[in-house]
């Protein structure tokens, strides 16, 4: 194991074991290096690596702290990696979204507030029956983000937020080339919203699956 990897693993063990908790300040570099049996250089490299993935927060002139370890913060690193996707992997992203998003939508059916449902309805009304493709896609992203937030699961929210980016271009292209894409999307949104109002988790799951699968099927037919 490379010395930096060893240093990373030792700091990780301290956090996982509870020796270091969210918000805790790490001991001084010289003290921590001696405690862990590491060189100061390898410890410095480990801290730099862990700060990049939001495990540690290096504050100039103040010290190094363990972050909140909030799922949304930690998954930012995944979102960064997702931005490097290749076009030929978009179908794989859609497949993962088809697994996760219907589950989140079903969870939201019994958890989302009436006020949030009214806001989603107002959002669809404001869009009107003939939005541009760009307006529709922007509304689609926000519509699903708010529903997933209504599931009450912050990990799902962060995962799906990261997965939505690679599929945005496919949704725009579909809207420009498939004749009924706009009207179909609006209809499916209304159906999802109706299922949520009825607190019908299975109907919400089914409509969300249909909604994502229609984009996936269209993309398969065009590749």
């Amino acid at each position: 194991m490379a010395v930096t990897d060893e240093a990373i693993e030792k700091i990780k063990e301290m956090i996982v074991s509870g020796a270091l908790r969210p918000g805790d300040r790490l001991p001084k570099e010289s003290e921590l290096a001696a405690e862990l049996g590491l060189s100061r250089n390898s410890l410095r490299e480990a801290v730099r690596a862990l700060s990049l993935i939001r495990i540690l927060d290096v504050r100039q002139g103040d010290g190094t702290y363990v972050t909140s370890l909030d799922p949304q913060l930690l998954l930012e690193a995944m979102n960064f990696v997702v931005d490097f996707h290749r076009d030929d992997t978009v179908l794989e992203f859609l497949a993962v979204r088809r697994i996760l998003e219907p589950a989140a939508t079903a969870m939201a059916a019994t958890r989302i507030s009436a006020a949030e449902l009214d806001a989603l309805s107002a959002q669809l009304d404001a869009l009107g029956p003939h939005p541009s493709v760009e307006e529709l896609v922007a509304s689609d992203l926000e519509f699903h983000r708010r529903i997933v937030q209504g599931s009450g699961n912050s990990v799902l929210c962060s995962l799906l937020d990261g997965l939505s980016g690679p599929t945005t271009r496919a949704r725009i292209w579909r809207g420009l080339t498939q004749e009924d894409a706009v009207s179909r999307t609006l209809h499916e949104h209304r159906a999802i919203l109706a299922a949520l109002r009825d607190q019908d988790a299975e109907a919400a799951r089914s409509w969300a699956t249909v909604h994502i699968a229609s984009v996936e099927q269209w993309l398969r037919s065009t590749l």
Side-chain angles (χ1 to χ4, degrees):
M1 184 184 293
V3 288
T4 301
D5 292 339
E6 181 185 0
I8 290 172
E9 194 61 32
K10 287 188 174 182
I11 296 172
K12 174 186 169 184
E13 286 173 6
M14 292 182 72
I15 295 171
V16 172
S17 70
L20 286 173
R21 297 182 179 279
D24 281 357
R25 180 177 177 174
L26 270 65
K28 290 181 180 178
E29 184 182 273
S30 57
E31 295 174 4
L32 186 58
E35 179 184 342
L36 298 178
L38 300 167
S39 70
R40 294 178 67 172
N41 187 57
S42 62
L43 178 60
R44 201 172 296 129
E45 290 298 320
V47 167
R48 185 177 292 114
L50 290 170
S51 68
L52 287 173
I53 57 173
R54 305 303 184 95
I55 301 295
L56 298 178
D57 178 21
V58 179
R59 304 175 190 174
Q60 292 299 325
D62 187 17
T64 300
Y65 292 78
V66 180
T67 67
S68 65
L69 302 181
D70 180 79
Q72 188 167 1
L73 182 69
L74 298 181
L75 286 166
E76 282 183 12
M78 186 202 75
N79 296 351
F80 178 78
V81 172
V82 163
D83 287 339
F84 290 95
H85 77 281
R86 305 186 313 273
D87 286 347
D88 60 357
T89 63
V90 171
L91 276 171
E92 294 179 9
F93 281 103
L94 277 168
V96 175
R97 188 175 163 226
R98 179 162 45 83
I99 293 167
L100 297 179
E101 194 160 310
T105 306
M107 290 169 64
T110 56
R111 300 181 183 184
I112 196 167
S113 69
E116 188 59 36
L117 290 173
D118 289 342
L120 286 169
S121 182
Q123 177 188 329
L124 293 180
D125 290 342
L127 196 60
H130 304 294
S132 69
V133 171
E134 290 77 10
E135 289 172 335
L136 180 66
V137 171
S139 176
D140 182 70
L141 289 169
E142 181 63 17
F143 181 80
H144 293 291
R145 182 180 295 116
R146 293 172 77 165
I147 290 173
V148 174
Q149 286 175 345
S151 75
N153 188 307
S154 61
V155 175
L156 265 177
C157 289
S158 299
L159 280 171
L160 285 165
D161 200 41
L163 290 170
S164 65
T167 63
T168 299
R169 199 161 28 157
R171 280 181 268 184
I172 292 174
W173 186 244
R174 179 198 180 207
L176 291 170
T177 59
Q178 190 175 38
E179 186 176 347
D180 63 343
V182 173
S183 60
R184 183 187 296 185
T185 298
L186 293 173
H187 170 71
E188 290 165 356
H189 280 184
R190 291 287 183 189
I192 291 169
L193 184 56
L196 292 174
R197 283 201 183 278
D198 290 341
Q199 296 189 332
D200 188 333
E202 287 312 307
R205 185 196 306 274
S206 297
W207 275 112
T209 302
V210 167
H211 183 58
I212 299 164
S214 64
V215 179
E216 192 177 352
Q217 288 170 351
W218 168 81
L219 187 58
R220 284 187 190 282
S221 70
T222 62
L223 291 178

